[in-house]
Each structure stands twice: as C-alpha cells, then as structure tokens.
C-alpha cells in the first residue's frame, strides 16, 4: 500500500470515528434535551393551572359550584365581584371589646345587619369597636393584581400548543352522602410537547400509563375529591 493511500484511509477512518462519536453523543443528549424542555414547559403550564384553580375556588365561593369552562372563569374575572370580610378593630383592644359589648347589649333586638350598621356608626364617630363587615370587591381588583405577567386572555390555552385549549370539566358528585362540587383542568403532553421529538413524547405517555398516571398535567379531579390538588404536587 502506497503512502498516499494509507494516509487517505487514515483520514477516512478518523472521520468515521468522529462521526460515530458525534452520533453517540447526540443520541445521549437527545432525551436529556427533551426532558429539560418538557420541564421548562411544564413550569409555565403549572402556573397557568394554578391560576385556573385560584379562579375556580373564588368562583365556587360566590356560586356554590365550579365553572365548567375557562370562558366563564374569564367573565367572572372581568365582571364578577367577591365578598370580602373585613375586620374592624381588634379583639385584643379591651376598650373596643367593652364598647362593642355595650352596643350589642343595648341593641340586642336588632337584626345582625342592623347591629352591624350601629357598630359602623359608632366607628365612624370615632368610638373604638370590634366588628366584621362584608364588602363586594371586583374580582380583578382582588386576584392577580400584583402579578404583572398575568394575562386572562391566555388562560384558556395550553402553552406551546399552537392554540389548543385547556380541557376542563366540572361536576357535582355525591360523596359519602354529601353533594360535593368538583372540577378538573387538563393539559395533555401531546399538546404541551408540540414540536418536540414525537417518539420521545410517545415514550413519556407510555411511561405515565404504566404508572397509572394521566399523560399530562392536571389539577383537580371529577372522579374523586382531591382538594383541588395538581398531579405535580
């Protein structure tokens, strides 16, 4: 074998070795990159599901049930009001407590709302008293007002999905003889992982199925009460 041919073969073999090493490294890094991207996307999705849960709890406090759609949650956020209980005075203030008991004793025939009005009048006149009052405040002034990144218009969509909507249901089930409002909101991985390696996503779904877990992210459950927990918690 002449020297030129030997050098050429060595160059080819070196190139093949470099290619094989590169392919090996790439095959190892591929699932790592996939898992990292899924984790990053999941963080965004989890925050959105937490926001849905926050609105659902507020919606239930005012309506006695959960909302079946994100659109009705959006309407509740934009136009609804919440009753907020405000405490006036302190039970640790002995003077305020004594004044309150005196007013209650003098007006014991009054209805609760009328008694509260009496206490409010005394408070407005500068007298120390202790009582609670209920005030209706717009939902948008109560929830998420300190969250500059909150966008109500994005709430119904699964992040990174290209516009696919969050899957949501609500129901009222009888549990131990008691009517219990339930809801669940879901973001399947097939939507959340759109654009990522499809085979790795299929493998992820298969792993979840093998563990008898939902193939995605979910908050709440309409099959069994779980205190509105998320499946990431």
């Amino acid at each position: 074998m002449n020297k030129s041919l030997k050098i050429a073969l060595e160059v080819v073999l070196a190139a093949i070795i470099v290619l094989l090493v590169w392919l090996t490294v790439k095959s190892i890094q591929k699932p790592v990159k996939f898992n990292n991207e899924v984790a990053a996307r999941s963080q965004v999705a989890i925050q959105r599901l937490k926001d849905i849960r926050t609105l659902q709890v507020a919606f239930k406090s005012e309506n006695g049930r959960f909302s079946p759609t994100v659109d009705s949650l959006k309407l509740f956020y934009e136009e609804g009001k919440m009753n907020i209980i405000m405490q006036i005075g302190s039970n640790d203030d002995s003077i305020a407590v004594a004044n309150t008991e005196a007013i209650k004793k003098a007006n014991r025939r009054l209805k609760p709302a009328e008694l509260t009005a009496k206490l409010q009048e005394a408070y407005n006149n500068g007298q120390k008293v202790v009582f609670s009052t209920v005030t209706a405040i717009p939902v948008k002034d109560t929830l998420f007002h300190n969250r500059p990144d909150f966008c109500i218009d994005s709430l119904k969509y699964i992040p990174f999905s290209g516009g696919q909507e969050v899957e949501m249901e609500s129901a009222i089930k009888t549990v131990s003889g008691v009517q219990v409002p339930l809801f669940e909101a879901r973001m399947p991985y097939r939507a959340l992982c759109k654009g990522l390696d499809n085979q790795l996503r299929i493998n992820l779904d298969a792993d979840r199925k093998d563990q008898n877990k939902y193939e995605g992210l979910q908050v709440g459950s309409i099959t069994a009460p779980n205190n509105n927990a998320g499946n990431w918690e």
Side-chain angles (χ1 to χ4, degrees):
M1 182 182 295
N2 59 48
K3 187 175 181 179
S4 297
L5 181 57
K6 182 179 180 181
I7 293 173
L9 288 174
E10 289 176 348
V11 170
V12 171
L13 287 174
I16 291 174
I17 291 172
V18 170
L19 177 61
L20 290 174
V21 170
W22 180 79
L23 289 174
T24 301
V25 171
K26 185 178 180 181
S27 66
I28 294 173
Q29 289 182 336
K30 193 174 183 179
V32 172
K33 289 181 178 180
F34 174 82
N35 291 335
N36 288 341
E37 182 62 24
V38 171
R41 294 187 179 197
S42 294
Q43 288 303 308
V44 178
I46 287 170
Q47 183 59 62
R48 197 161 295 180
L49 288 173
K50 286 181 177 179
D51 291 343
I52 288 174
R53 175 171 61 189
T54 297
L55 274 170
Q56 280 283 29
V57 171
F59 185 94
K60 177 178 173 289
S61 71
E62 298 303 313
N63 298 280
R65 59 179 177 81
F66 289 114
S67 166
T69 68
V70 181
D71 284 333
S72 57
L73 285 181
K74 178 183 177 183
L75 184 64
F76 173 69
Y77 173 78
E78 293 177 332
E79 301 181 9
K81 292 186 177 182
M82 296 175 58
N83 288 325
I84 305 298
I85 299 177
M86 300 180 65
Q87 175 78 27
I88 305 297
S90 172
N91 286 315
D92 295 330
D93 188 332
S94 59
I95 295 176
V97 171
N99 289 340
T100 301
E101 290 302 318
I103 292 173
K104 286 182 177 180
K105 185 176 181 180
N107 298 278
R108 58 180 178 273
R109 296 181 181 277
L110 294 181
K111 296 179 179 180
E114 295 171 332
L115 179 58
T116 299
K118 279 286 185 182
L119 291 169
Q120 181 72 60
E121 181 181 359
Y123 175 76
N124 293 341
N125 291 331
Q127 189 173 356
K128 287 187 173 183
V129 289
V130 181
F131 68 99
S132 297
T133 182
V134 178
T135 303
I137 299 177
V139 175
K140 64 170 55 179
D141 293 341
T142 306
L143 301 179
F144 313 120
H145 64 279
N146 60 345
R147 280 264 309 280
D149 64 327
F150 179 76
C151 178
I152 189 65
D153 293 326
S154 299
L155 199 65
K156 72 185 294 184
Y157 300 109
I158 299 172
F160 311 101
S161 70
Q164 294 187 52
E165 297 184 6
V166 175
E167 300 171 1
M168 194 163 78
E169 299 177 70
S170 67
I172 297 179
K173 299 283 183 72
T174 301
V175 180
S176 300
V178 179
Q179 294 286 293
V180 180
L182 303 170
F183 90 94
E184 66 181 40
R186 303 180 301 274
M187 293 185 181
Y189 283 132
R190 66 176 181 275
L192 184 62
C193 298
K194 186 175 183 179
L196 301 183
D197 187 281
N198 192 52
Q199 185 57 55
L200 291 176
R201 195 273 304 164
I202 291 173
N203 295 345
L204 175 60
D205 282 354
D207 289 341
R208 299 287 291 185
K209 286 182 180 179
D210 290 343
Q211 298 175 52
N212 198 29
K213 296 179 179 179
Y214 172 63
E215 308 93 275
L217 296 172
Q218 175 178 324
V219 64
S221 172
I222 61 169
T223 57
N226 67 353
N227 200 29
N228 306 326
N231 64 352
W232 63 87
E233 296 173 318

